[in-house]
Amino acid sequence: MKRYRCMICGYTYHPEMGDPENGIAPGTAFEDLPDTWVCPSCGAEKKLFEPLD
């Protein structure tokens, strides 16, 4: 699964870790995140992330 980086603050979403503090289970691919998910660091929308791998 690909990692994605926030183009605003540099936060990297790691699918193997998920985002448990915001209800996203480990193993959740970035593509499977809800459209309402936002960067946990700066609040940027999902569309402002770019793939790293």
Side-chain angles (χ1 to χ4, degrees), residues 14-30:
H14 297 269
E16 63 276 2
M17 295 169 51
D19 182 14
E21 292 180 12
N22 292 297
I24 306 299
T28 302
F30 185 83

Side-chain angles (χ1 to χ4, degrees), residues 2-38:
K2 289 185 178 183
R3 295 176 299 144
Y4 281 75
R5 180 177 49 219
C6 177
M7 293 186 287
I8 304 300
C9 73
Y11 168 84
T12 300
Y13 176 76
H14 297 269
E16 63 276 2
M17 295 169 51
D19 182 14
E21 292 180 12
N22 292 297
I24 306 299
T28 302
F30 185 83
E31 296 83 359
D32 295 333
L33 293 173
D35 290 336
T36 56
W37 181 85
V38 296

